[in-house]
Amino acid sequence: MPGPHPHPKSDHPVTRLGSWAVCALIALLSACSGATDNGKGSAVFYPPLPNRPRIQFLTSYTSAEDIEQTSALSEFVVGKDDASKGGLGKPYSASLVGDRVVVSDASAHEIFVLDLAAHEFRPLKGNTGGGRARQPMQVTSTPDGTIYVADGTRNQVLAYGPDESFLRAYGTEGLMKAAGVAVKDDEVYVCNLKNNDIIVFDRLTGAVKRRIGGGGKDPGKFYIPTNVAVGPDGDLYVSETGNFRVQRLHPDGTHVRMYGGLGDGPGGFSRPKGVAIDPDGRLYAVDAAFENVQIFDKDGQLLLFFGGPGNDPGNLVLPAGIDISARGIERFQKLADVRLKVRHVILVVSQYGARRVNVYGFGDWLGPEKDLPAPAKAAVPSGTAAPTTPKGLGDVEDLPEPATTPKAP
């Protein structure tokens, strides 16, 4: 099983844990409980039962067969539609837009729409002519349903309306090497690999308003900024693959905080990619090398992690993009354990593997203590505390605070 790779030690105190301990605890936290998942097997919780879970793996989407529904009679009469053979190639990012999951697929040079209500797997309607994507990377959306896609070959950001019609492109020839995109109010933030900065566009006019950062390791500087997200407070969170960290800044570029750093222990990064902020301001950071997602509080404290390398449900294979949405969760609540009240939905995109768009639910465990099954014994390295429900994740009032936090991703 692939795990964290050895790196020089960082100054993060938790990196003193060895890689063997990290791998062992990834396996432990990826363990399944005895609860059923809609008859498809064991439900996957993080942390695993008998701890009080906060995240559950719900489902995944990879091909048209995961979306489309065809009756047996229809297949017998007219045959199976060839469209059902379609699937994602090497997706990079996804965004939940109402009942649609919009997925950027760099290898297919396509933006796919997984319409969960219509049970359709199809290309984005506006992805033709002047709105044609060549290498779609990070995709995001706004509450009104407008879709924004950073294109690494056109080196522009493409905008599509709620009806999927092409609206406009941001950026002119030679201006930037686009990678990530985020939108807040009337500003569009674009990760520019050409100059290691963030270019801020006026959303309405397309004009460049300002630049943030520039190459370097100092606070406020970037090296290979690949993904960006905007928090509820308007702050920017920029994933820097080259500096092995996530940086938080005010919209004017003022540095606020660093998360992570080079290391193979909890809180460290090897290849950080997608970033997202939940409604309570917690940072979710994807690491493509460790193949997991780490959750940090506003002070940079590691709270929990989920995913992990492997091919089982809940695992990730070279993950890249992440999206969090509190809208439209009713559909996914039906897939969750009845004892988990889902607060928001998390989409994590694996570029390879059997499950490309992975859907998790984050919520409150409402089941009484007697509903928690007896735990299966798992091997834990000597001297290492078994993981418990982490602090800071907004437990409901009747859930006691745990004594410890997870030791390693």
Side-chain angles (χ1 to χ4, degrees):
M1 177 183 75
H5 307 296
H7 296 290
K9 293 182 179 179
S10 75
D11 57 0
H12 198 294
V14 292
T15 58
R16 291 191 292 269
L17 287 174
S19 296
W20 60 271
V22 175
C23 292
L25 283 171
I26 285 178
L28 175 63
L29 281 186
S30 297
C32 297
S33 76
T36 59
D37 183 13
N38 299 316
K40 296 180 180 180
S42 296
V44 181
F45 296 116
Y46 303 91
L49 295 169
N51 302 285
R52 291 183 179 273
R54 301 312 308 274
I55 294 175
Q56 181 184 351
F57 171 76
L58 301 179
T59 189
S60 65
Y61 307 115
T62 300
S63 69
E65 293 181 350
D66 298 324
I67 304 298
E68 298 175 349
Q69 293 183 344
T70 305
S71 70
L73 177 61
S74 173
E75 286 189 14
F76 177 77
V77 175
V78 301
K80 195 170 184 178
D81 190 341
D82 287 341
S84 64
K85 299 177 182 178
L88 298 172
K90 186 180 179 183
Y92 186 87
S93 179
S95 184
L96 184 61
V97 186
D99 286 321
R100 297 166 295 166
V101 179
V102 179
V103 186
S104 62
D105 193 325
S107 66
H109 313 290
E110 186 65 83
I111 304 168
F112 288 110
V113 174
L114 286 59
D115 193 321
L116 306 181
H119 305 290
E120 294 179 348
F121 182 106
R122 57 176 173 78
L124 187 81
K125 295 175 183 177
N127 190 24
T128 60
R132 182 70 183 177
R134 299 178 187 173
Q135 188 185 15
M137 303 296 286
Q138 186 177 357
V139 57
T140 190
S141 59
T142 53
D144 67 355
T146 304
I147 301 161
Y148 296 82
V149 182
D151 194 299
T153 295
R154 287 185 56 152
N155 292 317
Q156 293 178 313
V157 168
L158 309 177
Y160 305 88
D163 62 353
E164 301 181 17
S165 62
F166 176 63
L167 298 179
R168 67 172 307 140
Y170 296 85
T172 56
E173 184 176 354
L175 176 66
M176 61 184 177
K177 178 68 174 177
V181 60
V183 181
K184 177 68 173 179
D185 298 328
D186 288 336
E187 294 191 326
V188 179
Y189 303 91
V190 184
C191 291
N192 174 27
L193 299 179
K194 182 177 180 180
N195 294 322
N196 289 299
D197 63 3
I198 303 294
I199 300 180
V200 185
F201 292 91
D202 185 290
R203 184 181 63 85
L204 301 178
T205 68
V208 175
K209 297 182 65 174
R210 62 186 180 278
R211 292 175 179 262
I212 298 172
K217 296 184 178 180
D218 295 334
K221 300 294 184 180
F222 308 120
Y223 182 45
I224 312 181
T226 56
N227 295 74
V228 59
V230 181
D233 57 3
D235 281 356
L236 302 179
Y237 295 76
V238 182
S239 175
E240 302 176 65
T241 301
N243 278 333
F244 310 101
R245 69 192 184 193
V246 175
Q247 189 169 174
R248 179 181 175 186
L249 311 98
H250 290 320
D252 63 359
T254 303
H255 169 76
V256 178
R257 181 178 303 280
M258 300 289 192
Y259 300 80
L262 180 62
D264 61 359
F269 293 118
S270 175
R271 198 185 307 169
K273 286 291 186 70
V275 287
I277 314 300
D278 73 13
D280 295 311
R282 291 178 287 256
L283 166 67
Y284 294 59
V286 175
D287 195 296
F290 297 158
E291 301 184 308
N292 67 6
V293 180
Q294 300 188 74
I295 307 176
F296 298 85
D297 68 13
K298 295 179 181 179
D299 297 322
Q301 174 68 42
L302 177 66
L303 300 174
L304 180 66
F305 57 90
F306 63 94
N311 292 308
D312 293 328
N315 290 157
L316 301 168
V317 182
L318 198 65
I322 183 170
D323 178 67
I324 292 176
S325 178
R327 303 187 301 272
I329 63 174
E330 295 81 6
R331 174 182 299 276
F332 297 100
Q333 178 67 66
K334 298 175 183 178
L335 302 178
D337 189 288
V338 295
R339 296 163 292 180
L340 184 72
K341 181 176 177 55
V342 177
R343 289 190 187 182
H344 54 258
V345 176
I346 309 164
L347 304 181
V348 185
V349 175
S350 285
Q351 295 184 278
Y352 295 99
R355 300 170 184 86
R356 303 297 170 89
V357 179
N358 298 272
V359 184
Y360 306 82
F362 177 101
D364 296 313
W365 185 262
L366 304 179
E369 199 72 36
K370 62 182 180 62
D371 284 353
L372 299 179
K377 293 184 178 181
V380 179
S382 177
T384 302
T388 65
T389 305
K391 296 180 180 179
L393 288 178
D395 291 336
V396 291
E397 292 181 356
D398 61 336
L399 300 187
E401 284 286 349
T404 60
T405 55
K407 288 293 182 181

